[in-house]
Amino acid sequence: MNTFETNEFKRVLSRYEKSKREGHSCYLDSDDFIDISDYYLDLDKPLESLDAVNEGMRLHPSDELLMSVKAGVLIYLHHFDEAMELVEVLDPQKNYDVKYLQAQLKYAVEENVEEADAMFHEWLQDVEKEWEYGRGNSRNFTM
């Protein structure tokens, strides 16, 4: 079952959307904000996705996974300078998706297809290793 189809996710989304309609914030953990952001991006609603991740970062300002999700949304929106600022402070040793974001930026900003492709393959190897050992922490970023 898709995460977005679960009753738990639907309850979290409903709570988040109700609080937005009423003009106040609700406390959710960072993973919930990431799921909500991913949900909106999946629906091709990148501004709503960005709103959700920004709200998550307001409550969890040092969460690097939230920062990487925000960078991914900014890349999706072609806000490359803002995305680069975030990616520069992220540690690829803690979150291997930083390499994927770096590859996207290398391609989009510098138009360096060869280096972006090499970085993407390096990221893919990291993903395969992590999943092989059952420790995957990857998010699905799109451009």
Side-chain angles (χ1 to χ4, degrees), residues 80-138:
F80 302 126
D81 291 338
E82 291 175 73
M84 273 195 280
E85 287 178 21
L86 280 172
V87 171
E88 287 174 358
V89 300
L90 296 173
D91 183 357
Q93 300 303 319
K94 291 182 183 176
N95 179 352
Y96 52 81
D97 282 329
V98 173
K99 290 180 185 177
Y100 185 77
L101 295 167
Q102 291 169 332
Q104 286 182 304
L105 290 167
K106 182 68 67 178
Y107 176 78
V109 175
E110 298 176 24
E111 298 179 3
N112 189 333
V113 177
E114 287 180 21
E115 193 170 338
D117 191 51
M119 293 170 80
F120 172 74
H121 286 289
E122 185 179 320
W123 168 80
L124 194 56
Q125 288 174 341
D126 290 347
V127 169
E128 289 170 351
K129 282 184 221 170
E130 287 294 312
W131 285 106
E132 181 178 315
Y133 295 108
R135 297 186 313 256
N137 70 351
S138 177

Side-chain angles (χ1 to χ4, degrees), residues 25-85:
S25 63
C26 66
Y27 181 84
L28 299 171
D29 68 27
S30 60
D31 288 338
D32 289 334
F33 282 109
I34 290 168
D35 289 343
I36 292 168
S37 177
D38 288 348
Y39 169 78
Y40 285 125
L41 201 55
D42 203 45
L43 293 177
D44 197 27
K45 295 181 175 185
L47 297 179
E48 287 90 338
S49 176
L50 188 59
D51 284 346
V53 80
N54 280 336
E55 181 66 15
M57 287 182 65
R58 190 180 67 73
L59 295 171
H60 309 282
S62 61
D63 190 292
E64 288 201 13
L65 194 51
L66 270 170
M67 285 188 247
S68 66
V69 170
K70 181 175 181 175
V73 175
L74 290 169
I75 291 169
Y76 183 92
L77 290 167
H78 296 185
H79 297 182
F80 302 126
D81 291 338
E82 291 175 73
M84 273 195 280
E85 287 178 21

